[in-house]
Amino acid sequence: MKRTQLSQRGPNFSRMVYGTWRLLDTEPNPQEVNRRLHACLELGITTIDTAEIYGLYEVERMLGAALALSPGLRDRIEIVTKAGIYVPYPQCPERHTAHYDASGPRLIRSLEQSLSLLGTDHVDLFLVHRPDWLTRADDTAAGLNELLRTGKIREAGASNFSVSQFDLLSTHMEKPLVTNQIEFHLLHPEPIEDGTLHQCEKLGVPPMAWSPLAGGRIFDPTNPAANRLAVAAKSMSSRYDGATLEQLAYAWILAHPARPLPVIGTNNPERLRSAARSEAIAMEREDWYALWEAAQGRKIP
Ligand SMILES: NC(=O)c1ccc[n+]([C@@H]2O[C@H](COP(=O)([O-])OP(=O)(O)OC[C@H]3O[C@@H](n4cnc5c(N)ncnc54)[C@H](OP(=O)(O)O)[C@@H]3O)[C@@H](O)[C@H]2O)c1
């Protein structure tokens, strides 16, 4: 597995990242999650993406328990976490309405809670999970800058930020933001044209691409785009050593010049291995456009 430097300073991440949003869907115990982390390492996937909200605020605790089973494992991986989304849940009866909060003090409090749950003194990258419409960018940046100064976060970034939101937050940062984690896949190619990927390319900041398989929708037989993609993938598979639709979907993301890092979401160990193999696929230009056309159901303009 190749590696990617997110900025000249770092961090240095595996080209594909393992995402933990769905980690608790199969109700694993810490031993199983520990085995999953080791399986990632064996595939060269050293970067683990999480967030305080995942599993209704329980995934980080599970990751911390899994890491504690193998002393030294924490130092072999890079941890990305995020904060800023607050939804009602049983352990927090005073919260009634889902909301965003990216104010500096709130981000600091959340990150400190994440460190405690994960059992670590720092994360390698901390992202503002979503833009908060009620917080000034200088307030958000003050929290991030403070966390950077203390070393509790090695780098800071954003997630789901528009070009102007990323630009605005950047103007207040003491160290440049190193990524924008965005939805980017065959069924959501908008970042190609809306300026998001252009901004990443211009700043030399590789984006992270979430839901690279559209959350599983590229396999949905009731979805016409998924069916067209299945046909297109079958027609080109032999040119890529029998690659599957999912491998071609990852390769399609990896081929974009902004150098996106797909964040893999499967809980299935065989699919994880298959995903890692897609990193070696060098997709031909015509096949890349053929997949775009199949997903869109129209010719390129
Ligand atoms: N920043 C953000 O706002 C944001 C938002 C969403 C996600 N994320 C990050 O991105 C990561 C990945 O997101 P995601 O889980 O939506 O990724 P995804 O890879 O697009 O979707 C994973 C889903 O697809 C299913 N799947 C995979 N291969 C399949 C196949 N061959 N046939 C049928 N179903 C298949 C998986 O089921 P199995 O488990 O059974 O394989 C799983 O339910 C998350 O874990 C999280 O870290 C970030």
Side-chain angles (χ1 to χ4, degrees), residues 133-185:
W133 306 316
L134 282 180
T135 296
R136 286 180 57 88
D138 54 0
D139 184 351
T140 299
L144 296 175
N145 287 330
E146 168 74 14
L147 288 169
L148 284 164
R149 271 185 242 115
T150 58
K152 291 178 180 173
I153 67 173
R154 295 290 192 256
E155 301 292 344
S159 181
N160 303 301
F161 272 44
S162 68
V163 171
S164 60
Q165 287 163 337
F166 195 90
D167 194 38
L168 177 62
L169 181 57
S170 294
T171 59
H172 298 287
M173 293 300 299
E174 289 168 7
K175 281 170 85 177
L177 302 168
V178 298
T179 196
N180 191 2
Q181 186 176 122
I182 52 167
E183 182 177 14
F184 177 50
H185 49 76

Side-chain angles (χ1 to χ4, degrees), residues 77-92:
I77 63 172
E78 302 85 36
I79 299 178
V80 182
T81 196
K82 326 180 190 74
I85 306 179
Y86 302 97
V87 298
Y89 70 117
Q91 287 86 336
C92 190

